[in-house]
Amino acid sequence: MNRIFSGVQPTGNLHLGNYLGAIRNWVALQNDYECIFCIVDLHALTLPQDPAELRAGTREVTAAYIAAGIDAERCIIFNQSMVSAHTELAWLLACLTPLGWLNRMTQFKEKAGKQRDMAGLGLYAYPVLMAADILLYKATHVPVGEDLKQHIELARDIAGAFNRRYERDFFPLPDPLIFGEATRVMSLRDGTKKMSKSDTSDYSRINLTDDADLIALKIRRAKTDPEPLPHTIDELEKRPEADNLVGIFAALDGISRETVLEAFGGRNFSSFKDALTIQAHRVIGDITDKMRRLMADPGHIDAVLRRGAERAAAIAAPNLRQVQEISGLLRP
Ligand code: AQP
């Protein structure tokens, strides 16, 4: 069976982009793949984190996975720092990764900003850790949002570099799985910017923990243009805010953007936003309720993570050992 690996950082403000771009797709894939879903807490440390919030974030993301419909029995759910093989493999892969490959990573440039010399080595090197996360389990597929496509391509390149260096077909080259109508959900305040946890405006995103009133308010306040909704995708794509809201509607309802335009083309935004609010309440309300119930039992969440870490380590350990043997660190 093909194997999936993917993860989310426990950095708070889990939003509709994380859900529609990633987590919801994982739920659909769990029937056809062996799945490993990680809470990537080591990635979170690439930027400063409050320790208590990081711990709380790990439980919250775990609750979100389960509330969204991931089966913790069938799939492995765990947090990255519990399996030390991730960082061990990351070092071995870092030694094979040319700096030029990391210099191409656009996310580093965005996150480091103007103070690039002050950015941490971890932020720069984290795509290698991500490659290790995936390759440690010899995952064949990685379902992610559009923003991480470049990182998966790097993981493929690193897998190829290892296979070539040691002249064997050891790591599969992982394929990104990017699908659905909302592979890149944009900010509600600016249709040209990604919806993001770190955006300073909470009105830019719908969080999975927002209550019904707040969701309604955020959708009402979402930026739009003065024209009614268009009839065609060509016209829609020239209008970033309209395109984003139509894409969100389509993804929430499980229909295409064309079908949304058949229903709403020519209508004004206020009636469309009312309908969008109903869809958002239906999908997110259910997840939020389940998350709240799960978060009330932290012992259960911790047990899921402990058991997940044991199962993950059982796959990771022999793979790491083989890498150590192939690289000449251990005797076969
Ligand atoms: N806006 C988005 N649209 C679609 N997919 C998205 N993802 C993130 N944002 C969007 C996908 O969510 C998964 C988890 O990614 P992550 O843990 O790397 O998330 P993050 O980077 O902490 O979340 P943000 O919001 O992207 O944080 P910022 O921008 O503040 O750093 C991934 O599969 C990702 O593609």
Side-chain angles (χ1 to χ4, degrees):
M1 200 187 216
N2 286 323
R3 183 178 284 159
I4 274 178
F5 180 95
S6 198
V8 170
Q9 301 188 37
T11 38
N13 298 333
L14 208 58
H15 54 73
L16 197 56
N18 299 132
Y19 175 65
L20 295 177
I23 301 172
R24 200 183 55 170
N25 290 347
W26 304 353
V27 177
L29 293 164
Q30 66 183 334
N31 299 326
D32 300 322
Y33 293 82
E34 184 188 341
C35 291
I36 304 174
F37 296 123
C38 193
I39 294 93
V40 281
D41 48 8
L42 295 172
H43 292 204
L45 286 182
T46 56
L47 292 174
Q49 303 296 336
D50 175 84
E53 281 176 19
L54 185 63
R55 278 190 287 271
T58 298
R59 282 183 178 152
E60 185 179 296
V61 174
T62 310
Y65 287 1
I66 300 170
I70 291 169
D71 180 344
E73 286 303 314
R74 209 175 340 151
C75 307
I76 295 177
I77 300 176
F78 76 108
N79 56 316
Q80 188 186 22
S81 60
M82 291 297 101
V83 180
S84 61
H86 288 250
T87 42
E88 291 179 72
L89 181 60
W91 176 258
L92 301 178
L93 299 181
C95 295
L96 293 169
T97 307
L99 283 184
W101 291 2
L102 290 177
N103 289 340
R104 289 204 307 257
M105 296 290 115
T106 53
Q107 204 185 68
F108 174 75
K109 291 176 195 155
E110 286 159 18
K111 290 201 174 179
K114 292 199 179 97
Q115 298 270 322
R116 203 186 294 187
D117 285 352
M118 293 306 291
L121 177 60
L123 186 66
Y124 182 72
Y126 116 89
V128 179
L129 179 58
M130 184 185 284
D133 300 336
I134 297 163
L135 300 180
L136 183 59
Y137 301 95
K138 294 189 166 186
T140 52
H141 295 85
V142 190
V144 286
E146 185 69 43
D147 58 321
L148 290 182
K149 189 165 178 231
Q150 197 186 30
H151 289 82
I152 311 307
E153 281 160 7
L154 180 78
R156 284 175 70 88
D157 289 343
I158 293 175
F162 182 93
N163 292 348
R164 277 193 306 279
R165 167 79 61 95
Y166 297 105
E167 295 178 342
R168 62 190 77 200
D169 203 14
F170 184 74
F171 287 125
L173 305 190
D175 281 316
L177 288 177
I178 300 172
F179 61 95
E181 289 289 346
T183 55
R184 190 174 180 85
V185 178
M186 308 309 273
S187 158
L188 299 181
R189 310 299 297 162
D190 177 352
T192 63
K193 261 175 63 187
K194 190 180 80 125
M195 185 178 282
S196 155
K197 287 174 187 160
S198 55
D199 195 313
T200 46
S201 167
D202 196 49
Y203 283 88
S204 68
R205 62 181 163 260
I206 295 176
N207 301 308
L208 294 188
T209 48
D210 286 346
D211 65 26
D213 289 347
L214 190 53
I215 291 172
L217 183 63
K218 285 180 175 179
I219 292 177
R220 232 178 10 256
R221 286 210 189 159
K223 186 175 167 202
T224 48
D225 55 50
E227 302 297 320
L229 281 154
H231 290 278
T232 67
I233 295 291
D234 276 352
E235 290 171 82
L236 182 69
E237 284 177 349
K238 292 177 199 139
R239 296 165 59 185
E241 282 80 21
D243 194 12
N244 188 36
L245 294 182
V246 168
I248 291 174
F249 190 111
L252 287 171
D253 203 20
I255 57 177
S256 67
R257 289 184 304 159
E258 285 85 349
T259 310
V260 178
L261 292 186
E262 275 164 30
F264 290 96
R267 288 171 62 179
N268 63 26
F269 273 102
S270 67
S271 64
F272 174 68
K273 283 181 168 181
D274 290 344
L276 179 59
T277 302
I278 292 170
Q279 292 297 341
H281 283 167
R282 182 178 61 76
V283 175
I284 299 172
D286 187 40
I287 296 174
T288 313
D289 288 347
K290 286 188 186 141
M291 273 176 79
R292 211 170 284 134
R293 281 199 296 275
L294 285 158
M295 293 290 282
D297 186 1
H300 171 68
I301 293 181
D302 293 349
V304 167
L305 291 173
R306 254 194 323 274
R307 171 88 187 106
E310 283 164 15
R311 292 165 69 196
I315 302 172
N319 286 344
L320 178 65
R321 181 165 176 103
Q322 269 184 292
V323 173
Q324 289 165 329
E325 288 171 4
I326 291 169
S327 330
L329 296 170
L330 292 179
R331 271 176 225 294

